[in-house]
Short mmCIF file of all heavy atoms in Angstrom, two decimals:
data_model
loop_
_atom_site.label_atom_id
_atom_site.label_comp_id
_atom_site.label_asym_id
_atom_site.label_seq_id
_atom_site.Cartn_x
_atom_site.Cartn_y
_atom_site.Cartn_z
N PRO A 1 -5.51 -10.37 -6.68
CA PRO A 1 -6.49 -10.54 -5.60
C PRO A 1 -7.65 -9.68 -5.78
O PRO A 1 -7.59 -8.54 -6.34
CB PRO A 1 -5.56 -10.17 -4.35
CG PRO A 1 -4.23 -10.32 -4.74
CD PRO A 1 -4.14 -10.06 -6.23
N ILE A 2 -8.77 -10.12 -5.22
CA ILE A 2 -10.07 -9.43 -5.39
C ILE A 2 -9.99 -8.06 -4.77
O ILE A 2 -10.65 -7.09 -5.32
CB ILE A 2 -11.19 -10.28 -4.78
CG1 ILE A 2 -12.55 -9.69 -5.15
CG2 ILE A 2 -11.09 -10.44 -3.28
CD1 ILE A 2 -12.91 -9.90 -6.63
N PHE A 3 -9.27 -7.84 -3.72
CA PHE A 3 -9.23 -6.47 -3.07
C PHE A 3 -8.65 -5.46 -4.06
O PHE A 3 -9.06 -4.28 -4.08
CB PHE A 3 -8.67 -6.47 -1.71
CG PHE A 3 -7.13 -6.55 -1.65
CD1 PHE A 3 -6.51 -5.37 -1.57
CD2 PHE A 3 -6.51 -7.75 -1.68
CE1 PHE A 3 -5.05 -5.40 -1.50
CE2 PHE A 3 -5.12 -7.75 -1.61
CZ PHE A 3 -4.40 -6.59 -1.53
N LEU A 4 -7.72 -5.87 -4.81
CA LEU A 4 -7.07 -4.98 -5.80
C LEU A 4 -7.97 -4.54 -6.84
O LEU A 4 -8.11 -3.41 -7.26
CB LEU A 4 -5.76 -5.56 -6.39
CG LEU A 4 -4.52 -5.75 -5.54
CD1 LEU A 4 -3.42 -6.53 -6.27
CD2 LEU A 4 -4.05 -4.49 -4.92
N GLU A 5 -8.84 -5.56 -7.27
CA GLU A 5 -9.86 -5.21 -8.24
C GLU A 5 -10.91 -4.30 -7.73
O GLU A 5 -11.41 -3.37 -8.41
CB GLU A 5 -10.54 -6.54 -8.70
CG GLU A 5 -9.57 -7.48 -9.53
CD GLU A 5 -10.28 -8.82 -9.74
OE1 GLU A 5 -11.45 -8.97 -9.74
OE2 GLU A 5 -9.44 -9.71 -9.96
N LYS A 6 -11.30 -4.51 -6.49
CA LYS A 6 -12.31 -3.68 -5.83
C LYS A 6 -11.80 -2.21 -5.64
O LYS A 6 -12.48 -1.21 -5.88
CB LYS A 6 -12.71 -4.16 -4.38
CG LYS A 6 -13.62 -5.44 -4.54
CD LYS A 6 -14.01 -5.91 -3.18
CE LYS A 6 -14.86 -7.13 -3.30
NZ LYS A 6 -15.37 -7.59 -1.99
N MET A 7 -10.50 -2.08 -5.25
CA MET A 7 -9.89 -0.77 -5.08
C MET A 7 -9.84 -0.05 -6.43
O MET A 7 -10.12 1.18 -6.51
CB MET A 7 -8.60 -0.81 -4.43
CG MET A 7 -8.69 -1.19 -3.01
SD MET A 7 -7.06 -1.07 -2.03
CE MET A 7 -6.19 -2.45 -2.86
N THR A 8 -9.41 -0.71 -7.50
CA THR A 8 -9.38 -0.12 -8.83
C THR A 8 -10.74 0.28 -9.29
O THR A 8 -10.91 1.36 -9.83
CB THR A 8 -8.75 -1.15 -9.80
OG1 THR A 8 -7.42 -1.57 -9.34
CG2 THR A 8 -8.69 -0.60 -11.21
N LEU A 9 -11.80 -0.60 -9.13
CA LEU A 9 -13.17 -0.26 -9.42
C LEU A 9 -13.62 0.96 -8.70
O LEU A 9 -14.17 1.92 -9.27
CB LEU A 9 -14.05 -1.40 -9.12
CG LEU A 9 -15.52 -1.17 -9.56
CD1 LEU A 9 -15.74 -0.91 -10.95
CD2 LEU A 9 -16.34 -2.43 -9.10
N PHE A 10 -13.46 0.97 -7.35
CA PHE A 10 -13.81 2.18 -6.57
C PHE A 10 -13.21 3.42 -7.12
O PHE A 10 -13.91 4.47 -7.29
CB PHE A 10 -13.41 1.95 -5.09
CG PHE A 10 -13.79 3.22 -4.26
CD1 PHE A 10 -15.07 3.27 -3.64
CD2 PHE A 10 -12.87 4.20 -4.07
CE1 PHE A 10 -15.39 4.42 -2.93
CE2 PHE A 10 -13.19 5.34 -3.29
CZ PHE A 10 -14.44 5.44 -2.77
N ASN A 11 -11.88 3.36 -7.39
CA ASN A 11 -11.24 4.59 -7.96
C ASN A 11 -11.76 5.02 -9.23
O ASN A 11 -11.86 6.21 -9.58
CB ASN A 11 -9.70 4.35 -7.97
CG ASN A 11 -8.93 5.68 -8.25
OD1 ASN A 11 -9.16 6.66 -7.59
ND2 ASN A 11 -7.96 5.56 -9.18
N SER A 12 -12.09 4.10 -10.16
CA SER A 12 -12.54 4.40 -11.45
C SER A 12 -14.06 5.06 -11.28
O SER A 12 -14.42 5.89 -12.21
CB SER A 12 -12.63 3.23 -12.34
OG SER A 12 -13.50 2.19 -11.95
N GLU A 13 -14.75 4.62 -10.38
CA GLU A 13 -16.14 5.13 -10.15
C GLU A 13 -16.10 6.43 -9.42
O GLU A 13 -17.11 7.18 -9.48
CB GLU A 13 -16.98 4.14 -9.48
CG GLU A 13 -17.26 2.86 -10.36
CD GLU A 13 -18.09 1.80 -9.74
OE1 GLU A 13 -18.27 1.90 -8.40
OE2 GLU A 13 -18.56 0.80 -10.36
N HIS A 14 -15.10 6.64 -8.55
CA HIS A 14 -15.01 7.85 -7.71
C HIS A 14 -13.66 8.53 -7.80
O HIS A 14 -12.91 8.53 -6.83
CB HIS A 14 -15.37 7.48 -6.30
CG HIS A 14 -16.64 6.66 -6.13
ND1 HIS A 14 -17.87 7.31 -6.07
CD2 HIS A 14 -16.86 5.36 -5.94
CE1 HIS A 14 -18.77 6.32 -5.99
NE2 HIS A 14 -18.21 5.14 -5.88
N PRO A 15 -13.23 9.01 -8.98
CA PRO A 15 -11.84 9.45 -9.20
C PRO A 15 -11.50 10.65 -8.28
O PRO A 15 -10.39 10.92 -8.01
CB PRO A 15 -11.77 9.75 -10.64
CG PRO A 15 -13.20 9.99 -11.04
CD PRO A 15 -13.99 9.07 -10.19
N SER A 16 -12.50 11.46 -7.82
CA SER A 16 -12.15 12.62 -7.05
C SER A 16 -12.07 12.30 -5.57
O SER A 16 -11.66 13.19 -4.80
CB SER A 16 -13.19 13.79 -7.30
OG SER A 16 -14.47 13.30 -6.85
N LYS A 17 -12.51 11.11 -5.17
CA LYS A 17 -12.39 10.73 -3.70
C LYS A 17 -10.94 10.23 -3.40
O LYS A 17 -10.41 9.54 -4.23
CB LYS A 17 -13.44 9.52 -3.48
CG LYS A 17 -14.81 9.99 -3.74
CD LYS A 17 -15.38 10.90 -2.75
CE LYS A 17 -16.84 11.16 -3.02
NZ LYS A 17 -17.36 12.22 -2.24
N GLU A 18 -10.61 10.56 -2.20
CA GLU A 18 -9.33 9.94 -1.74
C GLU A 18 -9.81 8.78 -0.85
O GLU A 18 -10.76 8.82 -0.19
CB GLU A 18 -8.67 11.07 -0.89
CG GLU A 18 -8.09 12.07 -1.76
CD GLU A 18 -7.08 13.07 -0.94
OE1 GLU A 18 -6.64 12.61 0.12
OE2 GLU A 18 -6.82 14.13 -1.46
N PHE A 19 -8.92 7.76 -0.90
CA PHE A 19 -9.20 6.60 -0.04
C PHE A 19 -7.94 6.05 0.47
O PHE A 19 -6.84 6.21 -0.06
CB PHE A 19 -10.13 5.54 -0.61
CG PHE A 19 -9.61 4.83 -1.84
CD1 PHE A 19 -9.36 3.52 -1.69
CD2 PHE A 19 -9.56 5.45 -3.09
CE1 PHE A 19 -8.93 2.72 -2.84
CE2 PHE A 19 -9.14 4.69 -4.15
CZ PHE A 19 -8.77 3.32 -3.96
N GLN A 20 -8.06 5.39 1.57
CA GLN A 20 -6.99 4.91 2.40
C GLN A 20 -7.11 3.41 2.60
O GLN A 20 -8.23 2.94 2.81
CB GLN A 20 -7.00 5.66 3.71
CG GLN A 20 -6.01 5.18 4.82
CD GLN A 20 -6.13 5.98 6.03
OE1 GLN A 20 -5.92 7.23 5.96
NE2 GLN A 20 -6.41 5.53 7.19
N LEU A 21 -5.96 2.72 2.74
CA LEU A 21 -5.97 1.31 2.92
C LEU A 21 -5.16 1.10 4.30
O LEU A 21 -4.05 1.59 4.45
CB LEU A 21 -5.36 0.52 1.83
CG LEU A 21 -5.32 -1.04 2.02
CD1 LEU A 21 -6.72 -1.53 2.02
CD2 LEU A 21 -4.57 -1.61 0.91
N ASP A 22 -5.70 0.35 5.21
CA ASP A 22 -5.10 0.02 6.43
C ASP A 22 -5.09 -1.42 6.68
O ASP A 22 -6.20 -2.08 6.73
CB ASP A 22 -5.86 0.77 7.59
CG ASP A 22 -5.35 0.63 8.94
OD1 ASP A 22 -4.31 -0.05 9.07
OD2 ASP A 22 -5.84 1.20 9.91
N GLY A 23 -3.89 -1.98 6.83
CA GLY A 23 -3.87 -3.46 7.15
C GLY A 23 -3.44 -4.34 6.03
O GLY A 23 -3.84 -4.06 4.84
N GLY A 24 -2.58 -5.23 6.29
CA GLY A 24 -2.15 -6.18 5.35
C GLY A 24 -1.19 -5.66 4.35
O GLY A 24 -0.99 -6.25 3.27
N ILE A 25 -0.53 -4.51 4.58
CA ILE A 25 0.35 -3.90 3.60
C ILE A 25 1.78 -4.33 3.88
O ILE A 25 2.26 -4.19 5.09
CB ILE A 25 0.23 -2.40 3.67
CG1 ILE A 25 -1.20 -1.97 3.40
CG2 ILE A 25 1.22 -1.77 2.67
CD1 ILE A 25 -1.50 -0.53 3.71
N HIS A 26 2.39 -4.82 2.89
CA HIS A 26 3.79 -5.29 3.08
C HIS A 26 4.58 -4.74 1.89
O HIS A 26 3.98 -4.42 0.84
CB HIS A 26 3.81 -6.82 3.04
CG HIS A 26 5.08 -7.44 3.41
ND1 HIS A 26 6.02 -7.86 2.53
CD2 HIS A 26 5.66 -7.69 4.70
CE1 HIS A 26 7.16 -8.33 3.16
NE2 HIS A 26 6.83 -8.18 4.47
N PHE A 27 5.85 -4.61 1.95
CA PHE A 27 6.65 -4.05 0.92
C PHE A 27 6.50 -4.86 -0.34
O PHE A 27 6.90 -4.33 -1.45
CB PHE A 27 8.11 -3.74 1.34
CG PHE A 27 8.85 -4.83 1.98
CD1 PHE A 27 9.41 -5.87 1.30
CD2 PHE A 27 8.96 -4.84 3.34
CE1 PHE A 27 10.10 -6.90 1.90
CE2 PHE A 27 9.69 -5.84 3.95
CZ PHE A 27 10.20 -6.83 3.26
N ASP A 28 6.12 -6.09 -0.29
CA ASP A 28 5.97 -6.95 -1.46
C ASP A 28 4.62 -6.57 -2.19
O ASP A 28 4.48 -6.91 -3.45
CB ASP A 28 5.94 -8.35 -1.16
CG ASP A 28 7.31 -8.93 -0.68
OD1 ASP A 28 8.28 -8.26 -1.05
OD2 ASP A 28 7.38 -9.94 0.06
N THR A 29 3.69 -5.92 -1.57
CA THR A 29 2.48 -5.60 -2.14
C THR A 29 2.14 -4.15 -2.38
O THR A 29 1.19 -3.80 -3.03
CB THR A 29 1.29 -6.21 -1.32
OG1 THR A 29 1.36 -5.57 0.06
CG2 THR A 29 1.40 -7.69 -1.12
N VAL A 30 2.96 -3.30 -1.82
CA VAL A 30 2.69 -1.82 -1.83
C VAL A 30 2.62 -1.30 -3.24
O VAL A 30 1.79 -0.45 -3.58
CB VAL A 30 3.59 -1.04 -0.93
CG1 VAL A 30 5.02 -1.02 -1.51
CG2 VAL A 30 3.19 0.35 -0.67
N SER A 31 3.50 -1.75 -4.12
CA SER A 31 3.53 -1.24 -5.48
C SER A 31 2.19 -1.46 -6.20
O SER A 31 1.63 -0.67 -6.88
CB SER A 31 4.71 -1.77 -6.24
OG SER A 31 4.73 -1.41 -7.61
N ASP A 32 1.70 -2.72 -6.10
CA ASP A 32 0.37 -3.13 -6.74
C ASP A 32 -0.72 -2.33 -6.10
O ASP A 32 -1.65 -1.92 -6.78
CB ASP A 32 0.14 -4.65 -6.58
CG ASP A 32 1.09 -5.43 -7.47
OD1 ASP A 32 1.53 -4.88 -8.46
OD2 ASP A 32 1.29 -6.61 -7.17
N ILE A 33 -0.73 -2.07 -4.79
CA ILE A 33 -1.75 -1.35 -4.12
C ILE A 33 -1.78 0.05 -4.63
O ILE A 33 -2.84 0.64 -4.90
CB ILE A 33 -1.52 -1.41 -2.63
CG1 ILE A 33 -1.78 -2.85 -2.10
CG2 ILE A 33 -2.44 -0.41 -1.82
CD1 ILE A 33 -1.40 -3.09 -0.64
N LEU A 34 -0.63 0.70 -4.78
CA LEU A 34 -0.60 2.08 -5.14
C LEU A 34 -1.04 2.25 -6.59
O LEU A 34 -1.60 3.24 -6.97
CB LEU A 34 0.83 2.59 -5.03
CG LEU A 34 1.33 2.83 -3.61
CD1 LEU A 34 2.74 3.29 -3.57
CD2 LEU A 34 0.44 3.98 -2.89
N LYS A 35 -0.90 1.23 -7.46
CA LYS A 35 -1.40 1.28 -8.80
C LYS A 35 -2.94 1.38 -8.89
O LYS A 35 -3.50 1.72 -9.98
CB LYS A 35 -0.80 0.17 -9.60
CG LYS A 35 0.58 0.14 -9.88
CD LYS A 35 1.12 -1.08 -10.60
CE LYS A 35 2.59 -1.09 -10.71
NZ LYS A 35 3.11 -2.38 -11.21
N THR A 36 -3.63 0.95 -7.85
CA THR A 36 -5.09 0.95 -7.90
C THR A 36 -5.67 2.38 -7.65
O THR A 36 -6.85 2.61 -7.87
CB THR A 36 -5.69 0.10 -6.75
OG1 THR A 36 -5.39 0.64 -5.49
CG2 THR A 36 -5.17 -1.37 -6.81
N GLY A 37 -4.84 3.26 -7.18
CA GLY A 37 -5.28 4.64 -6.92
C GLY A 37 -5.38 5.00 -5.47
O GLY A 37 -5.93 6.04 -5.13
N VAL A 38 -5.08 4.18 -4.57
CA VAL A 38 -5.01 4.40 -3.09
C VAL A 38 -4.24 5.62 -2.85
O VAL A 38 -3.06 5.81 -3.37
CB VAL A 38 -4.52 3.21 -2.28
CG1 VAL A 38 -4.32 3.61 -0.84
CG2 VAL A 38 -5.50 1.99 -2.50
N ASN A 39 -4.74 6.55 -2.10
CA ASN A 39 -4.06 7.79 -1.81
C ASN A 39 -3.19 7.80 -0.56
O ASN A 39 -2.27 8.62 -0.39
CB ASN A 39 -5.02 8.96 -1.71
CG ASN A 39 -6.00 9.16 -2.86
OD1 ASN A 39 -7.04 8.57 -2.86
ND2 ASN A 39 -5.52 9.78 -3.91
N ASN A 40 -3.53 6.87 0.30
CA ASN A 40 -2.95 6.89 1.60
C ASN A 40 -2.86 5.41 2.07
O ASN A 40 -3.80 4.68 2.11
CB ASN A 40 -3.77 7.71 2.57
CG ASN A 40 -3.18 7.98 3.93
OD1 ASN A 40 -2.50 7.20 4.49
ND2 ASN A 40 -3.31 9.20 4.46
N LEU A 41 -1.70 5.06 2.64
CA LEU A 41 -1.46 3.73 3.28
C LEU A 41 -1.13 3.84 4.76
O LEU A 41 -0.33 4.73 5.08
CB LEU A 41 -0.34 3.03 2.53
CG LEU A 41 -0.41 2.74 1.03
CD1 LEU A 41 0.83 2.19 0.47
CD2 LEU A 41 -1.59 1.88 0.76
N VAL A 42 -1.72 3.00 5.46
CA VAL A 42 -1.44 2.90 6.94
C VAL A 42 -0.62 1.62 7.09
O VAL A 42 -1.17 0.60 6.89
CB VAL A 42 -2.68 2.90 7.79
CG1 VAL A 42 -2.28 2.74 9.25
CG2 VAL A 42 -3.46 4.24 7.52
N ILE A 43 0.64 1.74 7.44
CA ILE A 43 1.51 0.53 7.55
C ILE A 43 1.88 0.46 8.99
O ILE A 43 2.56 1.31 9.52
CB ILE A 43 2.71 0.71 6.63
CG1 ILE A 43 2.33 0.98 5.17
CG2 ILE A 43 3.62 -0.53 6.78
CD1 ILE A 43 3.51 1.39 4.33
N GLY A 44 1.55 -0.71 9.51
CA GLY A 44 1.91 -0.97 10.91
C GLY A 44 2.78 -2.20 11.09
O GLY A 44 4.02 -2.09 11.07
N SER A 45 2.21 -3.38 11.06
CA SER A 45 3.00 -4.56 11.34
C SER A 45 3.97 -4.82 10.17
O SER A 45 5.00 -5.51 10.33
CB SER A 45 2.03 -5.80 11.42
OG SER A 45 1.25 -6.07 10.37
N GLY A 46 3.58 -4.32 8.98
CA GLY A 46 4.51 -4.44 7.85
C GLY A 46 5.89 -3.88 8.18
O GLY A 46 6.94 -4.23 7.60
N LEU A 47 5.95 -2.84 9.03
CA LEU A 47 7.24 -2.27 9.52
C LEU A 47 7.71 -2.85 10.88
O LEU A 47 8.77 -3.34 11.00
CB LEU A 47 7.10 -0.82 9.74
CG LEU A 47 7.01 0.10 8.40
CD1 LEU A 47 6.65 1.52 8.78
CD2 LEU A 47 8.34 0.02 7.73
N PHE A 48 6.77 -2.90 11.82
CA PHE A 48 7.12 -3.20 13.22
C PHE A 48 7.44 -4.71 13.50
O PHE A 48 8.04 -5.02 14.47
CB PHE A 48 6.11 -2.63 14.18
CG PHE A 48 6.00 -1.20 14.15
CD1 PHE A 48 4.97 -0.51 13.55
CD2 PHE A 48 7.05 -0.39 14.61
CE1 PHE A 48 4.86 0.87 13.52
CE2 PHE A 48 7.00 1.02 14.58
CZ PHE A 48 5.94 1.65 14.04
N LYS A 49 6.94 -5.61 12.61
CA LYS A 49 7.22 -6.94 12.80
C LYS A 49 8.56 -7.36 12.11
O LYS A 49 8.96 -8.48 12.27
CB LYS A 49 6.09 -7.81 12.33
CG LYS A 49 4.90 -7.81 13.26
CD LYS A 49 3.89 -8.79 12.81
CE LYS A 49 2.66 -8.75 13.75
NZ LYS A 49 1.67 -9.71 13.44
N GLU A 50 9.10 -6.47 11.33
CA GLU A 50 10.44 -6.79 10.72
C GLU A 50 11.54 -6.50 11.74
O GLU A 50 11.47 -5.69 12.58
CB GLU A 50 10.62 -5.76 9.51
CG GLU A 50 9.67 -5.97 8.32
CD GLU A 50 9.82 -7.38 7.71
OE1 GLU A 50 11.00 -7.77 7.53
OE2 GLU A 50 8.88 -7.99 7.39
N PRO A 51 12.58 -7.47 11.67
CA PRO A 51 13.64 -7.38 12.56
C PRO A 51 14.46 -6.03 12.51
O PRO A 51 14.97 -5.52 13.54
CB PRO A 51 14.60 -8.51 12.24
CG PRO A 51 14.08 -9.06 10.89
CD PRO A 51 12.73 -8.51 10.71
N ASP A 52 14.52 -5.40 11.34
CA ASP A 52 15.24 -4.20 11.21
C ASP A 52 14.17 -3.10 10.65
O ASP A 52 13.99 -3.12 9.39
CB ASP A 52 16.41 -4.36 10.24
CG ASP A 52 17.26 -3.08 10.09
OD1 ASP A 52 16.72 -1.95 10.26
OD2 ASP A 52 18.49 -3.27 9.86
N PHE A 53 13.71 -2.28 11.54
CA PHE A 53 12.73 -1.23 11.12
C PHE A 53 13.28 -0.32 9.96
O PHE A 53 12.57 -0.16 9.02
CB PHE A 53 12.44 -0.40 12.29
CG PHE A 53 11.46 0.69 12.05
CD1 PHE A 53 10.03 0.52 12.07
CD2 PHE A 53 11.86 1.94 11.70
CE1 PHE A 53 9.17 1.52 11.81
CE2 PHE A 53 10.99 2.99 11.39
CZ PHE A 53 9.66 2.75 11.44
N ASN A 54 14.44 0.09 10.14
CA ASN A 54 15.02 1.00 9.10
C ASN A 54 15.12 0.44 7.75
O ASN A 54 14.80 0.98 6.73
CB ASN A 54 16.30 1.62 9.58
CG ASN A 54 16.18 2.55 10.62
OD1 ASN A 54 15.24 3.30 10.83
ND2 ASN A 54 17.21 2.55 11.63
N GLN A 55 15.49 -0.83 7.73
CA GLN A 55 15.63 -1.57 6.57
C GLN A 55 14.30 -1.78 5.87
O GLN A 55 14.11 -1.64 4.66
CB GLN A 55 16.40 -2.91 6.63
CG GLN A 55 16.57 -3.68 5.39
CD GLN A 55 17.28 -4.94 5.62
OE1 GLN A 55 17.28 -5.51 6.69
NE2 GLN A 55 17.90 -5.48 4.56
N ALA A 56 13.33 -2.13 6.68
CA ALA A 56 11.94 -2.33 6.18
C ALA A 56 11.39 -1.05 5.74
O ALA A 56 10.72 -1.01 4.62
CB ALA A 56 11.08 -2.89 7.34
N PHE A 57 11.54 0.05 6.30
CA PHE A 57 11.16 1.35 5.87
C PHE A 57 11.72 1.68 4.52
O PHE A 57 10.99 2.13 3.60
CB PHE A 57 11.53 2.45 6.93
CG PHE A 57 10.95 3.78 6.56
CD1 PHE A 57 9.59 4.07 6.92
CD2 PHE A 57 11.75 4.75 6.01
CE1 PHE A 57 9.11 5.30 6.59
CE2 PHE A 57 11.17 6.00 5.75
CZ PHE A 57 9.84 6.32 5.97
N ASP A 58 12.98 1.40 4.33
CA ASP A 58 13.70 1.67 3.00
C ASP A 58 13.04 0.76 1.96
O ASP A 58 12.92 1.27 0.89
CB ASP A 58 15.12 1.42 3.14
CG ASP A 58 15.88 2.54 4.00
OD1 ASP A 58 15.33 3.63 4.21
OD2 ASP A 58 17.03 2.20 4.39
N LYS A 59 12.67 -0.46 2.31
CA LYS A 59 12.10 -1.23 1.23
C LYS A 59 10.72 -0.67 0.87
O LYS A 59 10.37 -0.79 -0.29
CB LYS A 59 11.93 -2.75 1.84
CG LYS A 59 13.19 -3.46 1.91
CD LYS A 59 12.95 -4.88 2.44
CE LYS A 59 14.17 -5.72 2.40
NZ LYS A 59 13.98 -7.07 3.03
N PHE A 60 9.97 -0.21 1.76
CA PHE A 60 8.64 0.46 1.45
C PHE A 60 8.91 1.68 0.46
O PHE A 60 8.13 1.81 -0.47
CB PHE A 60 7.88 0.92 2.68
CG PHE A 60 7.02 -0.17 3.24
CD1 PHE A 60 7.39 -0.83 4.43
CD2 PHE A 60 5.82 -0.59 2.67
CE1 PHE A 60 6.67 -1.81 4.96
CE2 PHE A 60 5.08 -1.62 3.17
CZ PHE A 60 5.57 -2.19 4.37
N LEU A 61 9.90 2.43 0.80
CA LEU A 61 10.20 3.62 -0.05
C LEU A 61 10.55 3.12 -1.46
O LEU A 61 10.11 3.73 -2.45
CB LEU A 61 11.25 4.45 0.57
CG LEU A 61 10.93 5.16 1.88
CD1 LEU A 61 12.13 5.96 2.36
CD2 LEU A 61 9.71 6.13 1.69
N GLU A 62 11.41 2.09 -1.52
CA GLU A 62 11.78 1.61 -2.87
C GLU A 62 10.63 1.05 -3.59
O GLU A 62 10.44 1.21 -4.79
CB GLU A 62 12.82 0.51 -2.65
CG GLU A 62 14.12 1.07 -2.16
CD GLU A 62 15.16 -0.08 -1.82
OE1 GLU A 62 14.82 -1.24 -2.14
OE2 GLU A 62 16.12 0.20 -1.09
N ALA A 63 9.72 0.34 -2.84
CA ALA A 63 8.59 -0.29 -3.53
C ALA A 63 7.59 0.73 -4.12
O ALA A 63 6.96 0.50 -5.08
CB ALA A 63 7.86 -1.23 -2.55
N GLN A 64 7.45 1.87 -3.47
CA GLN A 64 6.52 2.82 -3.99
C GLN A 64 6.93 3.47 -5.23
O GLN A 64 6.08 4.10 -5.97
CB GLN A 64 6.18 3.88 -2.90
CG GLN A 64 7.28 4.80 -2.72
CD GLN A 64 6.83 5.90 -1.65
OE1 GLN A 64 5.70 5.96 -1.22
NE2 GLN A 64 7.83 6.70 -1.19
N VAL A 65 8.17 3.44 -5.66
CA VAL A 65 8.53 4.06 -6.93
C VAL A 65 8.73 3.05 -7.95
O VAL A 65 9.10 3.44 -9.07
CB VAL A 65 9.94 4.84 -6.66
CG1 VAL A 65 9.75 5.94 -5.76
CG2 VAL A 65 11.12 3.90 -6.25
N ARG A 66 8.39 1.75 -7.78
CA ARG A 66 8.45 0.77 -8.85
C ARG A 66 7.40 0.92 -9.88
O ARG A 66 6.33 1.40 -9.69
CB ARG A 66 8.23 -0.61 -8.25
CG ARG A 66 9.51 -1.11 -7.56
CD ARG A 66 9.31 -2.52 -7.24
NE ARG A 66 10.14 -2.82 -5.97
CZ ARG A 66 9.91 -3.70 -5.16
NH1 ARG A 66 8.80 -4.52 -5.27
NH2 ARG A 66 10.64 -3.93 -4.07
#
């Protein structure tokens, strides 16, 4: 997706800057997002819309170490 390319480009042009992504983050996409250099993720509906919050949280933790 184009936003992954834009985040990777931003990080390559500004490696000392920290940046945060808010919105549209799901445990299926978190691993690819972290590879772009994002320093901080704000996860809302990716957790709270899941039927089991604890299970969804665990999936996010697993996804970040892939």
Side-chain angles (χ1 to χ4, degrees):
I2 190 74
F3 77 95
L4 291 175
E5 293 172 24
K6 287 181 178 182
M7 288 186 293
T8 301
L9 178 62
F10 177 87
N11 191 46
S12 69
E13 293 176 350
H14 309 282
S16 64
K17 301 286 184 189
E18 291 191 15
F19 67 109
Q20 171 177 302
L21 182 64
D22 182 358
I25 301 166
H26 193 263
F27 48 82
D28 291 338
T29 59
V30 71
S31 181
D32 289 335
I33 292 169
L34 291 173
K35 289 176 187 172
T36 68
V38 171
N39 304 95
N40 190 319
L41 299 175
V42 177
I43 304 167
S45 62
L47 286 173
F48 295 108
K49 287 188 176 181
E50 292 295 317
D52 185 332
F53 177 88
N54 290 324
Q55 183 180 20
F57 186 80
D58 288 343
K59 286 182 179 181
F60 273 104
L61 292 178
E62 291 170 14
Q64 73 178 349
V65 295
R66 285 188 208 153

